[in-house]
Amino acid sequence: MKKYIGILGLLTVAVIWGTGFVATAVALDNYTPFQILAIRFTVAFLILLGMNITKIKTISKKSFKRGSLLGVFLFLAFAFQTVGLQFTTPSKNAFLTAVNVIIVPFLGFLIFKKKIPIKGVVGSFVTLIGIALLSLTSSLGGINLGDMLTLVCAVFFALQIFVTDFFVDEEETWVLMLLQMGSAAALSWLTIFITGEGLPSIKMETVFPVLYLGIASTLIAYFLQTASQKYTTSSQAAVILSTEAFFGMLGSVLLLGEKVSINMLIGSIFIFIGILIVELDIPQFAKKQG
């Protein structure tokens, strides 16, 4: 029963994150990318701060450095993702972000010289085909700016996942979450100040998508992910969470009326297959089915 609860929790996270691409696209009609990030991370940080205010003094300098580093990666990932969404569609943004699952094994090879399994090479090649089908169009003559920025965002999401693995066993979840959100919020406000964008105008009719991103896509989703992964393996979690790309495309079609081309559908399928090849232990899976 706990296993199914974990799977259901991760599927909920995937739905929340998938619809988050739509919420971001809507929010961009009224706010700049960095205003969205500033509000999003600040909302999550303030709620976490209020929940853990009595434990703040227990945070060590080492924990502060670790959480802040994760916050830098998180900020850069969301920054490139949100800015990229200005130049590409929510569905493409969602699928290209999912490529971070493929990048993680290569980080292990580059940093620790860990051997990349053959399924990693095959999965990456299949994913690359998917990216080409999804992003290369005759009208644009190549990968557009939004696609490139989204791929950079996938690298920073991969770094955030990769580095979190080193910290999560030694640090409490609330500490890492609080410091990540706090440093990401600080960097967002600093960027607004440097670029001279000005403070966002908070209005009831325009703030809902940003509040959804801060409360649902950031605070609730990260909490659910952490709790649910106690009952599933990391590989199972990665596969389930990668379905956020599908929910992102579905939400974009249903809520925004986005038209999906045959190339986009085929490219998305290739990317999803590539992720499954990397994350699923096919022989073990087949053995269990037998």
Side-chain angles (χ1 to χ4, degrees):
M1 180 59 70
K2 288 183 177 180
K3 175 185 176 182
Y4 292 113
I5 291 175
I7 292 173
L8 181 61
L10 290 172
L11 275 174
T12 303
V13 173
V15 173
I16 293 173
W17 281 351
T19 51
F21 290 98
V22 178
T24 301
V26 174
L28 283 168
D29 290 336
N30 299 289
Y31 300 99
T32 69
F34 293 106
Q35 287 176 339
I36 293 173
L37 295 182
I39 299 172
R40 173 181 189 160
F41 291 128
T42 300
V43 168
F45 172 73
L46 290 177
I47 294 175
L48 283 167
L49 182 63
M51 294 170 60
N52 300 281
I53 191 68
T54 58
K55 298 184 287 186
I56 295 299
K57 292 183 179 180
T58 64
I59 299 177
S60 66
K61 289 183 178 180
K62 178 185 284 188
S63 298
F64 184 84
K65 291 178 180 178
R66 288 177 169 180
S68 297
L69 177 62
L70 290 176
V72 171
F73 289 143
L74 196 66
F75 165 75
L76 290 172
F78 276 110
F80 278 101
Q81 182 190 67
T82 307
V83 174
L85 191 53
Q86 290 184 303
F87 307 102
T88 191
T89 63
S91 58
K92 289 173 72 176
N93 192 259
F95 272 100
L96 292 173
T97 297
V99 175
N100 72 77
V101 178
I102 303 296
I103 298 172
V104 172
F106 287 91
L107 289 176
F109 172 75
L110 292 173
I111 298 174
F112 295 110
K113 305 302 179 184
K114 289 184 179 180
K115 185 178 179 180
I116 301 174
I118 186 65
K119 66 176 184 177
V121 177
V122 174
S124 298
F125 181 72
V126 172
T127 301
L128 189 61
I129 295 174
I131 292 172
L133 288 169
L134 193 66
S135 302
L136 299 177
T137 62
S138 57
S139 60
L140 295 175
I143 296 178
N144 66 39
L145 177 60
D147 298 337
M148 290 295 293
L149 292 173
T150 306
L151 285 172
V152 174
C153 116
V155 173
F156 281 112
F157 271 124
L159 280 169
Q160 193 268 347
I161 294 169
F162 187 77
V163 176
T164 297
D165 281 341
F166 292 96
F167 299 158
V168 71
D169 291 334
E170 298 180 16
E171 303 289 349
E172 292 189 59
T173 302
W174 73 268
V175 173
L176 291 179
M177 285 187 64
L178 178 70
L179 294 170
Q180 276 189 92
M181 301 308 155
S183 56
L187 287 170
S188 299
W189 289 112
L190 180 62
T191 304
I192 288 175
F193 175 77
I194 293 174
T195 58
E197 289 184 1
L199 297 177
S201 177
I202 307 298
K203 299 178 182 178
M204 287 302 297
E205 61 269 23
T206 61
V207 78
F208 177 75
V210 187
L211 289 178
Y212 178 84
L213 291 171
I215 297 173
S217 291
T218 306
L219 184 64
I220 295 176
Y222 275 100
F223 173 80
L224 273 178
Q225 180 194 7
T226 303
S228 298
Q229 280 195 235
K230 293 180 181 179
Y231 309 116
T232 60
T233 66
S234 58
S235 292
Q236 289 174 328
V239 172
I240 295 169
L241 290 174
S242 69
T243 61
E244 70 170 293
F246 167 76
F247 291 115
M249 182 179 70
L250 185 63
S252 182
V253 172
L254 294 178
L255 300 176
L256 300 180
E258 181 185 334
K259 294 182 179 180
V260 181
S261 67
I262 295 298
N263 260 26
M264 287 179 65
L265 281 175
I266 297 175
S268 300
I269 291 171
F270 266 89
I271 290 177
F272 191 64
I273 291 174
I275 291 170
L276 289 178
I277 290 173
V278 171
E279 293 302 331
L280 283 180
D281 189 339
I282 303 298
Q284 188 67 22
F285 180 76
K287 183 179 179 181
K288 285 184 178 180
Q289 296 303 308

